[in-house]
Amino acid sequence: MRLRNNPKAYDIMKENDSFVIIEPEKCKNKWHEVFGNDNPIYIEIGMGKGDFIYQNACRYPDINFIGIEKFPSVLAAAINKVNKQETKVSNMKLIHYDAIELKNIFAKGEVDHIFLNFSDPWPKNRHAKRRLTSKQFLSVYQDILVSKGEIEFKTDNRGLFEYSLVSLNQYPMDLLYVSLDLHNSPENETNIMTEYEKKFCEKGPIYKLVARYREDG
Ligand code: SAM
């Protein structure tokens, strides 16, 4: 997601430090203290404008959610959206960070679950390393996830989905669930849609997978 540069993005982040973490490195190994409880920690990487993470926080008050976004202007748009919501949530924090650096902000096994939603496809082969399901990123996620932690991935991009199935399988990870048409499957009943999903689901199927690192991998 690219938005026009918002020169006030950093100011917006600082003004909302009740739920935006400005120096997330200081929270490494202390996320339960940050939330003030021992509830599980679920993160969404590349959260865009944040509907998905906010709706999850509303629906599951006993889970702590952290939304991570690489671009300050996109995060600022998410903050503005959250502030317009009537229901305030205390179990959600937002961070401006690049996923490849996540080991700087989470200790080993500090994260219970990872969501990747409609990640940028980077269709050119020479950009494959930038895909959030490439082995470079899978290695980072493996380090910060609990041993049986799961990754949930949704996309409308068939090419990225096929690439991800192969990449996760080769890593090696076990595929626990695969759908080639999430919106017409029983799992859709509990599905929370992202901004991208709402925009693109009329144009074709939504693909979804859930995977877990192999214990002996
Ligand atoms: N998940 C949202 C949705 O489904 O509506 C946004 C999807 S958008 C296509 C992908 C988002 O991932 C963009 O906002 C982009 O800035 C973010 N992103 C891409 N690479 C990232 C990275 N390495 N770390 C964190 N966020 C990243």
Side-chain angles (χ1 to χ4, degrees):
M1 180 178 297
R2 294 286 181 277
L3 289 180
R4 195 168 333 132
N5 182 47
N6 179 348
K8 293 194 178 140
Y10 284 99
D11 292 336
I12 293 171
M13 283 159 58
K14 285 184 203 144
E15 284 158 15
N16 289 278
D17 63 358
S18 60
F19 65 98
V20 180
I21 307 288
I22 306 298
E23 294 182 289
E25 294 87 355
K26 290 191 176 160
C27 302
K28 183 170 177 174
N29 218 8
K30 293 187 186 139
W31 283 101
H32 285 120
E33 283 173 43
V34 172
F35 284 102
N37 60 48
D38 279 333
N39 292 339
I41 293 173
Y42 284 27
I43 68 174
E44 184 191 8
I45 300 173
M47 64 161 190
K49 291 188 190 163
D51 260 5
F52 177 86
I53 200 89
Y54 169 79
Q55 295 299 341
N56 268 283
C58 292
R59 188 185 289 179
Y60 304 107
D62 293 336
I63 296 176
N64 300 318
F65 291 93
I66 304 173
I68 298 160
E69 171 51 50
K70 187 172 172 180
F71 291 101
S73 298
V74 181
L75 179 55
I79 295 167
N80 288 337
K81 251 186 133 174
V82 169
N83 281 335
K84 285 188 191 139
Q85 303 283 357
E86 263 179 43
T87 307
K88 303 297 168 201
V89 289
S90 59
N91 59 328
M92 181 193 76
K93 305 287 179 199
L94 305 183
I95 299 176
H96 157 231
Y97 223 72
D98 186 332
I100 202 71
E101 311 282 357
L102 284 181
K103 287 189 205 175
N104 295 340
I105 61 172
F106 294 110
K108 253 183 184 309
E110 199 171 14
V111 172
D112 292 275
H113 197 91
I114 295 179
F115 296 106
L116 300 170
N117 291 318
F118 299 82
S119 310
D120 297 321
W122 294 107
K124 291 186 180 142
N125 276 342
R126 70 172 192 277
H127 291 147
K129 275 191 195 167
R130 298 183 192 175
R131 297 175 193 149
L132 293 187
T133 48
S134 69
K135 71 172 183 218
Q136 287 77 6
F137 283 95
L138 295 181
S139 151
V140 173
Y141 309 153
Q142 184 175 29
D143 202 68
I144 62 171
L145 259 182
V146 290
S147 69
K148 290 212 161 124
E150 294 173 7
I151 295 180
E152 276 187 50
F153 172 61
K154 288 195 283 189
T155 183
D156 62 330
N157 187 299
R158 176 103 191 178
L160 180 64
F161 194 67
E162 286 172 1
Y163 167 86
S164 304
L165 285 171
V166 174
S167 175
L168 272 63
N169 185 50
Q170 283 179 348
Y171 187 76
M173 293 180 80
D174 289 321
L175 293 164
L176 309 178
Y177 170 80
V178 175
S179 174
L180 298 180
D181 190 359
L182 173 65
H183 287 194
N184 288 304
S185 73
E187 283 69 23
N188 196 44
E189 218 170 283
T190 53
N191 184 42
I192 292 180
M193 291 225 263
T194 76
E195 280 91 351
Y196 257 69
E197 193 167 350
K198 285 177 202 155
K199 210 165 156 187
F200 293 110
C201 64
E202 296 301 321
K203 298 196 172 149
I206 301 300
Y207 309 103
K208 177 173 174 176
L209 66 80
V210 181
R212 183 190 287 157
Y213 291 90
R214 213 165 284 161
E215 299 270 300
D216 56 0

